Structures are given as structure tokens and as C-alpha cells.
Amino acid sequence: MSKFQVDKNGYYGQFGGAYIPELLYPNVKELEDNYLDIINSEAFQKEYLYLLKQYVGRPTPLYYAPNLSDKYGAHIYLKREDLNHTGAHKVNNTIGQILIAKHLGKKRIIAETGAGQHGVATATVCALMNLECIVFMGEVDIKRQAPNVARMKMLGAKVVAATSGSKTLKDATNEAIRDWIQHPEETYYLIGSVVGPHPYPDMVARLQAIISEEIKWQLKEQTGKENPDTIIACVGGGSNAAGAFYHYMDDEEVDLVAVEAAGLGIDSGESAATSQLGEVGVIHGSKTILMQDEYGQIIEPYSISAGLDYPGVGPLHAHLFDTKRGTFLNATDQEALDAAFELTKLEGIIPALESSHALAVLGKMDLSKDQVVVVNLSGRGDKDLETYINELEKREARNHE
């Protein structure tokens, strides 16, 4: 077995496991006992792949970005997950998990969301399958991601505000877990990233692995080789990065670059760069690297990007960092905004703020003219338009000074 796959106890190296309240043990155990059999069954694969093709719109393009390549002196490809139905990679996972939930006989679906993309993807598949949907979302994120909140409600989901802590993704996850504890038997918790107790990190990574599976054959089709030199993806919890890295983790000649949100700067006190600021601890059911004080209390993260505003990374990413298999970089709010405006101008693509963090490190890397780089463009920027408009107004005001 690969040293980067989960072991029989749910660990990636020292990270992972299932640290859960006793009330949730039957739910997690039921999922652990069944998820691999379900995912590997012929019936699941047939329906999953049909929906990914006909409903989601896969395969997504692997686009050679000529102007971005000229700018940075390398061959840069963009994996266009932003072109999925619902606008992000999140739907790959929700399609798979909703089929698993149906197989387990669950009728009530709960989810947490930060940027709203996972919430929209969950509400979408619940509408498709005619299942009750409740989405927990931080009060701050509800305000900054208003278009996605409206989409969730239109799709029939109930959106519940998390009003504790920083009122962002961490707190939404806390509220979802509390709800799960109160309604354990009939509820399926559809987690949106490679976080949470085992088997969620492994299950979500497997459902997102379609991204790297497609990159392999698409790159071979375009270049004659399956492997790029470098893959870059943003990391909050880490689901899009897990999907982009999945089929390359054992090919150690491929550099896996994970980009975290530095917020206002690593040492500013307003950051979400977990690998740089975190230590080993337990959050939301798994042992991983998270930002915490000397007493083990979680330090509130900050990022302009709601999807990266999380104090930990998934245990797979903690393992990639710990073993130095992954290169962990970071980008500030302003660097991400600059990258978003640059991609829009150079290639005519408006990226999500999360994806902009991945793009922002191109200028920090020592790239060469023969180097093949794939950037996973995890989502589209419609949901961030208000932030982009504010930035545009600031730039126009500066130009008139």
C-alpha cells in the first residue's frame, strides 16, 4: 500500500483517526464498514460516472494558458474545475456522497460550508435526489457569500447561521456536528473537504480523485506525457488539492505544491497558513496540524477567501507536509487579488478567490521554460464578485489620484 494512502485504522502516518463523541460512533462505524464496498461496486460506479458526465459536465478541460505561460516562462495548464455544474470541484464529492447516503437509507442531509460552494453543491444533489437539506454556515460567510446563500435557498435548502467564534467555516462545522449528535440515526453528514473523522478524509479524496485521473490522460493527449513537473492547488481543508494530487502522490518526481492563505501576512495575527503556524492537535474528529495556543485552544483563522478560512488542514495534507512530500507555500489576501485580476486580464477567466491563492505563487517559484505546471482552478469567481468590485474601485481611485 502507498505510504500516502490511509491505513486500516484511518491514519496517514501519525495523522487521522476518528476522535468522536460516543453518540456518533454507530454512524461513523456504519460508514467505515460500508463506504469502500459501496464506492467499488459496479452499480455505484455506473451511476456516479453517469452523473459526473451528464449532470456535472465532466471531463473538465485541461486548458493550456498561453499568456500566463509567456508571463511566467513555463508551460502552464489550468484544470478547469470552475466549469463544473455549480461552479466548483465540490460537486464531484457531493454526487458521490449523496449516492452513499441513499445506499445507507438516510433521508436527512446536513452539511457545513465556508465559501458556499460546498453548500450549493450539497443543496443541488439533495434537490436532485429529493432529500431534506440543512446547511450550516458562519454568519460572516453568509454576508460575504450572499449569492451562494440565495442559490442554496432557491434549491430548497435550509441555511442555518453559526454565530459563535469567528462566525466562519470552523464554527459552521461545530454547529453541524452538534446537529449530528442530536439527530444521529436519520442524518447523513455530508462533509465537504478531506477533514473529519475516518473515513471522511479518505472517502472525499477518492471522490475527488477524478481530477488527477483526468489530468493524467488529458496531459498525455496534449503533451505525450502523463506527469507534469508541478501541480499547484490551494489548501484550506484541502479537497481540491487532494483530488489534484491523488494519482501523483507516489510519483515523487512530480512536485506537489499546496498553497495556504496567509491573510494579512504570516506574522500579522490575521492568517490561515496552518502548516506555518500550526502544531499537532485534534479538530473536528481527526488528528492533524492546526492553529492553537499554548493551552490547545484554537486560534481563529483569517483569510479574505471564505473557503480557506479554516484553522487546520486535512490529515492527508498534514502527512504530505510532515514527510516533505508536499511543498507548502502561502499567499496573502492582496497577492491573491492581484493574481485574480491578472488571470482575468491575461486569459479571460475570473477565478474564485480560493483558486487565486494557487495562482499567486507562480511569481514566487523558480520556473523554467521546459517546466510543465498544472494549476487546479477549483472554482469560478462569480461568488466573489462583490470583493472584486471593491478591489476594482480601490484601483480606479488610486489611478485618479
Side-chain angles (χ1 to χ4, degrees):
M1 184 181 70
S2 164
K3 61 183 177 181
F4 301 108
Q5 295 291 336
V6 74
D7 67 20
K8 65 179 182 180
N9 297 314
Y11 282 86
Y12 301 91
Q14 64 168 312
F15 304 105
Y19 298 81
I20 52 174
E22 190 175 346
L23 277 172
L24 292 179
Y25 179 81
N27 297 55
V28 174
K29 182 63 176 170
E30 179 186 33
L31 190 59
E32 182 184 348
D33 288 345
N34 290 285
Y35 83 106
L36 285 177
D37 287 342
I38 296 171
I39 288 176
N40 292 328
S41 70
E42 185 177 343
F44 175 92
Q45 284 294 321
K46 184 177 179 181
E47 189 169 9
Y48 176 61
L49 294 175
Y50 171 81
L51 289 171
L52 286 184
K53 181 178 180 181
Q54 304 296 350
Y55 187 71
V56 174
R58 302 201 73 90
T60 57
L62 182 68
Y63 168 67
Y64 179 71
N67 299 322
L68 205 61
S69 296
D70 285 346
K71 164 94 182 184
Y72 290 104
H75 299 288
I76 299 174
Y77 293 80
L78 303 176
K79 182 57 174 166
R80 298 292 308 275
E81 291 300 293
D82 58 313
L83 295 180
N84 281 325
H85 177 45
T86 76
H89 70 291
K90 293 292 188 183
V91 72
N92 305 324
N93 170 49
T94 60
I95 286 278
Q97 284 201 58
I98 204 72
L99 296 178
I100 292 170
K102 284 193 71 174
H103 186 93
L104 296 175
K106 306 295 185 182
K107 303 293 185 187
R108 181 176 184 270
I109 307 298
I110 62 170
E112 85 298 327
T113 194
Q117 289 167 315
H118 173 58
V120 169
T122 302
T124 298
V125 297
C126 285
L128 178 67
M129 300 293 176
N130 193 27
L131 293 172
E132 181 184 3
C133 181
I134 301 159
V135 178
F136 295 89
M137 192 169 186
E139 194 173 52
V140 168
D141 292 339
I142 285 176
K143 290 178 182 173
R144 60 180 169 176
Q145 300 292 338
N148 272 342
V149 174
R151 292 166 74 194
M152 283 182 262
K153 290 181 177 177
M154 191 172 175
L155 287 160
K158 178 182 179 183
V159 180
V160 178
T163 57
S164 60
S166 59
K167 304 173 186 176
T168 57
L169 178 57
K170 167 182 68 67
D171 311 293
T173 305
N174 289 339
E175 291 300 325
I177 291 174
R178 287 192 189 99
D179 180 284
W180 199 18
I181 291 171
Q182 291 170 357
H183 309 89
E185 293 186 4
E186 72 271 30
T187 300
Y188 182 89
Y189 183 11
L190 206 161
I191 292 180
S193 194
V194 285
V195 300
H198 176 67
Y200 279 101
D202 181 51
M203 179 171 64
V204 176
R206 287 172 184 269
L207 296 173
Q208 292 291 3
I210 187 73
I211 300 172
S212 52
E213 183 180 324
E214 288 179 3
I215 292 173
K216 271 193 171 280
W217 67 258
Q218 290 174 319
L219 200 61
K220 186 170 185 180
E221 195 174 74
Q222 295 186 47
T223 70
K225 295 181 179 179
E226 291 184 341
N227 289 1
D229 297 298
T230 305
I231 303 177
I232 306 174
C234 64
V235 170
S239 66
N240 92 88
F245 295 166
Y246 196 87
H247 285 87
Y248 294 106
M249 289 191 292
D250 291 327
D251 294 323
E252 300 208 14
E253 71 276 16
V254 180
D255 190 18
L256 308 179
V257 178
V259 185
E260 295 177 318
L264 301 184
I266 291 290
D267 300 318
S268 66
E270 300 287 337
S271 178
T274 300
S275 70
Q276 303 304 308
L277 300 170
E279 296 179 3
V280 177
V282 173
I283 184 171
H284 298 145
S286 67
K287 183 180 177 184
T288 187
I289 297 173
L290 67 147
M291 292 162 48
Q292 55 192 313
D293 64 19
E294 59 184 304
Y295 303 107
Q297 298 299 308
I298 292 169
I299 296 173
E300 299 292 350
Y302 164 78
S303 168
I304 195 173
S305 163
L308 304 182
D309 200 349
Y310 188 70
V313 292
L316 167 60
H317 295 297
H319 184 48
L320 293 174
F321 176 74
D322 191 48
T323 58
K324 302 188 187 321
R325 174 66 187 94
T327 302
F328 280 66
L329 303 177
N330 56 75
T332 64
D333 288 357
Q334 192 57 55
E335 289 169 339
L337 286 167
D338 291 344
F341 276 74
E342 180 177 80
L343 184 71
T344 304
K345 186 175 180 181
L346 289 179
E347 301 288 350
I349 299 170
I350 302 176
L353 272 169
E354 288 76 12
S355 311
S356 301
H357 283 73
L359 294 160
V361 302
L362 288 169
K364 299 181 178 184
M365 299 172 68
D366 187 19
L367 301 176
S368 63
K369 62 182 177 59
D370 296 325
Q371 190 168 345
V372 175
V373 179
V374 174
V375 181
N376 196 34
L377 207 64
S378 56
R380 68 177 181 235
D382 310 34
K383 67 182 182 59
D384 297 311
L385 207 54
E386 185 175 343
T387 303
Y388 290 150
I389 289 170
N390 291 337
E391 175 68 11
L392 191 61
E393 289 174 349
K394 288 178 186 174
R395 291 177 180 224
E396 289 176 343
R398 282 198 297 269
N399 290 337
H400 285 91
E401 286 176 356

